[in-house]
Amino acid sequence: MGTLAAVVPSSPAVADVPPAGECTPTSLVNSVSMSGSSTTVRAFRTRVKVARKARPLARVQMRARVGTTQKYVATGIVDRCAGGVSSPEPVTVRFTLAHGTRVELTRSARARAPRPAIKAATKKVKVAVRARGLKANRPKIAARVNAAASAKVSALLGREAQMPAIRAAIMAEINRVRAENSLPALIHLPQLEPLADEWVEFVKDGPYAHDTDPVTGMDADTETLGCNPPLDGYPPTTSENLHWGSHGSPAEIAEWTVAWWMNSAGHRATLLNEWNIWAGIGLAWSESGEYWAVAFRATTADCSNL
């Protein structure tokens, strides 16, 4: 995952409200349950020390990688809006999550002879290493379950069908943040989005850069829309934030992306720029990375004439 600093401060846009009667493709996860789990222990190093006394004491130190794999089944509803008509249908998806942890522990055991002592200590340390690793892995996997289930169910809509909901969710989240900072909501400008889509499609797998070319860049793109000059009389500017690495439901993508931007000074300034009025969201799906790349663009121009 990643994010790229903004060029000129810019801001969010308002969520689309579909016209009455228009069907928007949606997905919903109803339940998620685990269907299987397995844990493996792969030792990197084992050290054995034996104190030869009346009853030998064996100390075994083990450094290992403990891997846990869990299988899940999720049920939900998808509405593909085939032909523009709402047609919700129940779906079931299966997915697997895994996590690995390095563990190093030492355990001791006594026996009548060195060999049984070593065997007993080795068994104890293996059990302890497995338990420690499993305890560390489970919460890591659990933290990803809901997002993974949402992503799997949403994927059934098809990437193109998800884009309107993702754009709307990101815009709504940005405007929520603006409201918290006593700033007005940005106005959604859909004409910006094909231009942003084209650029983020170009950079989705890297190298990541802003579209700043003076002839073909984002300022030139915005000029082609034919917006009026800013009401304050200054030349219009276009700002851009980029982010890559998001997946899950539209709401999760929006929360994750905007949170990244708000935790970066440059991106935060872009989102909270009071001079921006109109904005749009560009999207592209990276097949190699299995994530959404997002471009947020906003302009100070007066686009009320479009």
Side-chain angles (χ1 to χ4, degrees):
M1 76 198 74
T3 187
L4 195 62
V7 200
V8 184
S10 170
S11 317
V14 210
D16 282 325
V17 178
E22 182 178 318
C23 182
T24 301
T26 55
S27 63
L28 173 69
V29 175
N30 288 331
S31 67
V32 184
S33 58
M34 190 190 305
S35 60
S37 179
S38 62
T39 298
T40 59
V41 178
R42 184 162 66 91
F44 292 119
R45 187 180 69 189
T46 302
R47 288 180 174 176
V48 179
K49 291 184 179 180
V50 179
R52 296 181 178 276
K53 299 180 180 179
R55 295 188 67 209
L57 174 67
R59 294 173 59 85
V60 177
Q61 180 189 62
M62 178 179 288
R63 178 181 295 176
R65 183 183 186 279
V66 182
T68 301
T69 301
Q70 295 181 340
K71 297 180 179 180
Y72 293 88
V73 177
T75 63
I77 302 290
V78 296
D79 190 344
R80 297 182 175 86
C81 294
V85 179
S86 177
S87 53
E89 57 181 286
V91 295
T92 299
V93 296
R94 300 177 184 276
F95 60 96
T96 300
L97 296 176
H99 189 79
T101 302
R102 287 198 175 194
V103 179
E104 183 172 341
L105 292 175
T106 301
R107 291 294 183 268
S108 304
R110 289 186 182 276
R112 294 179 179 275
R115 186 166 295 186
I118 294 171
K119 184 176 180 180
T122 301
K123 182 177 180 180
K124 287 172 68 175
V125 78
K126 282 183 177 178
V127 171
V129 164
R130 185 182 186 279
R132 179 73 62 86
L134 186 57
K135 184 178 180 180
N137 291 340
R138 278 176 173 166
K140 296 292 186 181
I141 294 176
R144 296 158 48 201
V145 170
N146 289 338
S150 294
K152 288 292 182 180
V153 173
S154 295
L156 297 178
L157 292 173
R159 303 300 174 197
E160 292 294 326
Q162 297 176 60
M163 291 174 75
I166 295 172
R167 292 189 210 273
I170 294 174
M171 290 180 180
E173 180 66 9
I174 293 172
N175 278 328
R176 183 190 68 77
V177 169
R178 284 177 66 88
E180 288 181 350
N181 288 271
S182 303
L183 292 170
L186 293 181
I187 304 170
H188 178 223
L189 184 62
Q191 291 91 331
L192 273 175
E193 289 171 346
L195 305 173
D197 285 347
E198 183 177 338
W199 179 252
V200 79
E201 175 71 29
F202 179 67
V203 300
K204 66 183 181 183
D205 295 313
Y208 306 103
H210 289 293
D211 191 8
T212 56
D213 187 284
V215 177
T216 62
M218 57 187 176
D219 284 321
D221 280 347
T222 306
E223 280 185 33
T224 64
L225 299 180
C227 295
N228 292 323
L231 299 177
D232 58 15
Y234 288 96
T237 60
T238 301
S239 302
E240 180 179 77
N241 275 357
L242 298 179
H243 181 272
W244 54 95
S246 296
H247 52 80
S249 68
E252 289 166 332
I253 293 169
E255 291 172 9
W256 180 257
T257 301
V258 175
W260 267 89
W261 285 336
M262 288 299 289
N263 285 322
S264 162
H267 296 89
R268 181 185 177 89
T270 299
L271 297 186
L272 302 183
N273 182 355
E274 61 181 303
W275 302 107
N276 285 319
I277 303 172
W278 304 82
I281 299 295
L283 292 172
W285 175 256
S286 169
E287 292 292 345
S288 61
E290 294 190 349
Y291 57 69
W292 285 101
V294 183
F296 164 75
R297 284 192 179 181
T299 180
T300 61
D302 172 19
C303 298
S304 57
N305 59 312
L306 299 185

